[in-house]
Amino acid sequence: MEVFLIRVLQLILALSLLILLHEGGHFFFSKLFGVRVEKFYLFFDWKFSLFKFKPKNSDTEYGLGWIPLGGYCKIAGMIDESFDTEQMKQPVQSYEFRSKPAWQRLLIMIGGVLVNFLLALFIYGQILYWWGDTYIPVKDMTYGMKFNEEAKAYGFRDGDILVGTEKRPFKDFSADLYRDISEAHRVDILRDGKPMSIMLPGELNLLGMLKAEPRFVYPFIPAEVDSVLPATPAAAIGIKKGDRILAVNGSPVDSHNAFLDLIGRRADMLATAKTPADSLKARSVTIVFGNDAHTDTTAVTLTADMKLGYVPLTLDRIYKPTTVEYGFLESIPAGIKYGWNVLASYVDDLKYVFTAEGAKSLGGFGAIGSLFPPMWDWYMFWKMTAFLSIILAFMNILPIPALDGGHVLFLLYEMIFRRKPSEQFMIRAEYVGFGILLLLMVVANLNDILRWLHIM
């Protein structure tokens, strides 16, 4: 429960900050061009609000809604998610959005996206300034990698050290490494100290590589125990720090990766168990463990979630991380470059959304919340906030009615053809766009529920 609450608090804080600044972008340009803002709300206030106030001599009501799905800035004389059609029937006023030149209305509409994008670049720059860029170079991972059967079919072998592709050397083990391999025609490696190259088609399915069990490639991690959790099966049978897991049910274990693979097969048995006896059988395994001084073979029952209860070595315990530090001025272009790479990667990956597997990968608030760490970590909080800011900026600029991008599309139409779409068309488009957004939200959050129930 504590982990859940920490993640919820981080998610709410990040989204609140991003929503306030996004709507603040619309607010700033509205005030700049003399457009009245009638309401400025964090979260939606359907039927009632949790808090609201209107400063003396101000046209704007500020408030906090009770539905935490966003926020809004209600601009006078504009067809938006408030669907205030009565206002549009009145004579045009000088302080209204619709009375302003198209270029001013365009800036008002892109104000939120602009703030979110610049905010992300700023946060990335500040992360690099305060924490630097710490990573483990792939070329330094001297234990090499473990590969699944698909990768081995292309010519990779366990223990190969990845170097790079024809485009660039690998930096660290991240989604970018998978992306580079998926697009590569040649992957350079070291095998037994000798440089070699693996030829690839250049169009591997990135989503398939990431979702495969086991994954296409992952760092080799020795099956060595870093620590043992109290009151767990591992503690009960006497596993200690420094021991190695040598076999599971007679199958040799040469790495932590292999151990997870073998336990994963038992988890598949557990998922299909029909009786308590079947479940107990799936959870019952024989473990061989030990060190240079002794070896033990013991039968043990895993926990209900198929855990033995030991913590393996982590990459930063096996290899020495590299840290690149940035001065304040250096962090600005570095943050821009980093943020632009995040945006480009995100846009490139969107093509998978239109596949059956990609649709299943959509996630709602649960999936987003799970990306935050289980303990409060300011570095990860700001990194996730910057990432969400990038996503919010990009998603809002999509040409979908009810989003900023839909309004921008209609404004560009007006600027090119010198005439506005009819108000009736705009209202209908707003309803259609709002319906699309609700459908996407339902699908994404339904996926979260199905994953939580282990149905998907």
Side-chain angles (χ1 to χ4, degrees):
M1 179 58 74
E2 182 182 356
V3 168
F4 173 77
L5 290 176
I6 289 174
R7 282 180 164 152
V8 168
L9 286 174
Q10 289 180 92
L11 177 62
I12 291 175
L13 179 58
L15 290 180
S16 298
L17 174 66
L18 297 180
I19 292 166
L20 282 173
L21 291 174
H22 177 91
E23 300 304 333
H26 297 309
F27 185 91
F28 171 78
F29 282 106
S30 296
K31 291 296 185 180
L32 181 65
F33 300 129
V35 175
R36 180 177 295 175
V37 176
E38 297 176 346
K39 299 178 77 173
F40 186 90
Y41 266 71
L42 173 63
F43 305 152
F44 293 119
D45 61 328
W46 184 64
K47 298 296 185 182
F48 70 93
S49 59
L50 298 177
F51 168 77
K52 63 181 178 180
F53 75 99
K54 190 172 185 179
K56 188 177 180 181
N57 301 323
S58 174
D59 299 314
T60 307
E61 176 184 296
Y62 301 89
L64 178 67
W66 64 276
I67 305 177
L69 298 179
Y72 69 100
C73 178
K74 189 176 186 305
I75 300 171
M78 174 184 168
I79 299 172
D80 59 12
E81 61 269 22
S82 66
F83 300 107
D84 185 359
T85 56
E86 291 302 316
Q87 183 185 63
M88 305 304 292
K89 296 176 183 178
Q90 305 302 318
V92 177
Q93 303 296 323
S94 61
Y95 56 78
E96 289 187 326
F97 176 83
R98 55 181 169 167
S99 72
K100 302 301 178 180
W103 68 271
Q104 291 185 4
R105 285 180 278 137
L106 181 64
L107 285 174
I108 291 172
M109 291 317 307
I110 67 173
V113 169
L114 182 63
V115 167
N116 280 135
F117 185 63
L118 293 178
L119 174 67
L121 300 184
F122 174 77
I123 293 175
Y124 281 130
Q126 289 301 296
I127 288 173
L128 293 174
Y129 173 66
W130 289 102
W131 285 282
D133 185 12
T134 300
Y135 62 95
I136 299 170
V138 175
K139 64 180 178 61
D140 291 348
M141 296 182 183
T142 51
Y143 280 110
M145 301 287 161
K146 293 280 288 184
F147 299 89
N148 68 8
E149 293 305 315
E150 180 190 4
K152 289 176 180 177
Y154 285 112
F156 292 103
R157 293 184 189 174
D158 289 341
D160 287 347
I161 300 173
L162 296 175
V163 176
T165 69
E166 72 273 16
K167 292 183 179 179
R168 60 180 178 178
F170 295 123
K171 180 189 173 186
D172 57 355
F173 194 87
S174 64
D176 285 339
L177 179 140
Y178 282 94
R179 187 175 294 104
D180 286 351
I181 292 177
S182 72
E183 298 171 353
H185 290 90
R186 188 193 80 236
V187 177
D188 299 324
I189 64 170
L190 285 176
R191 179 176 295 167
D192 299 325
K194 299 178 181 179
M196 294 183 60
S197 294
I198 304 292
M199 308 312 294
L200 295 178
E203 50 185 22
L204 297 181
N205 186 299
L206 175 61
L207 187 61
M209 293 169 67
L210 291 168
K211 292 179 71 66
E213 290 293 342
R215 288 187 176 185
F216 188 91
V217 57
Y218 41 98
F220 181 99
I221 297 177
E224 183 175 330
V225 177
D226 187 56
S227 62
V228 177
L229 301 176
T232 61
I237 62 175
I239 293 178
K240 295 180 174 57
K241 177 181 175 65
D243 284 345
R244 295 185 300 276
I245 308 299
L246 303 174
V248 174
N249 285 348
S251 298
V253 171
D254 65 351
S255 65
H256 179 65
N257 318 76
F259 172 78
L260 291 178
D261 186 33
L262 290 169
I263 296 301
R265 297 176 193 179
R266 307 296 295 186
D268 291 339
M269 291 176 56
L270 182 64
T272 58
K274 299 186 184 307
T275 66
D278 292 338
S279 298
L280 181 61
K281 182 179 179 181
R283 292 166 52 207
S284 300
V285 295
T286 299
I287 300 289
V288 180
F289 66 94
N291 51 45
D292 294 338
H294 71 90
T295 300
D296 290 315
T297 301
T298 307
V300 64
T301 301
L302 303 176
T303 63
D305 57 351
M306 301 301 286
K307 294 292 190 295
L308 180 57
Y310 81 90
V311 178
L313 293 174
T314 55
L315 286 177
D316 58 356
R317 292 291 301 274
I318 303 171
Y319 306 110
K320 182 179 179 181
T322 294
T323 299
V324 180
E325 297 183 347
Y326 294 87
F328 182 77
L329 294 179
E330 293 174 311
S331 70
I332 297 173
I336 292 173
K337 181 180 179 181
Y338 190 101
W340 187 258
N341 180 61
V342 170
L343 175 61
S345 300
Y346 178 75
V347 173
D348 184 60
D349 294 346
L350 279 179
K351 61 178 177 284
Y352 295 107
V353 172
F354 303 102
T355 66
E357 200 60 38
K360 293 179 182 178
S361 298
L362 287 174
F365 292 107
I368 296 171
S370 68
L371 296 176
F372 286 92
M375 60 196 74
W376 200 280
D377 183 326
W378 283 112
Y379 169 79
M380 289 303 301
F381 170 80
W382 287 116
K383 198 169 185 179
M384 271 305 304
T385 301
F387 179 63
L388 292 177
S389 194
I390 287 271
I391 294 176
L392 186 61
F394 179 78
M395 296 301 292
N396 260 286
I397 205 61
L398 291 176
I400 299 174
L403 291 178
D404 296 341
H407 293 284
V408 168
L409 179 66
F410 296 139
L411 280 167
L412 291 175
Y413 171 87
E414 177 186 340
M415 294 171 75
I416 294 171
F417 296 101
R418 303 294 181 182
R419 60 190 179 92
K420 297 181 180 180
S422 69
E423 288 184 1
Q424 192 63 32
F425 172 82
M426 294 287 285
I427 292 170
R428 288 175 179 173
E430 196 76 14
Y431 275 113
V432 170
F434 202 71
I436 292 172
L437 295 180
L438 283 177
L439 178 62
L440 287 173
M441 188 173 295
V442 168
V443 170
N445 286 284
L446 179 60
N447 283 351
D448 285 350
I449 295 171
L450 293 177
R451 278 190 284 266
W452 180 66
L453 295 173
H454 303 290
I455 296 175
M456 187 174 70

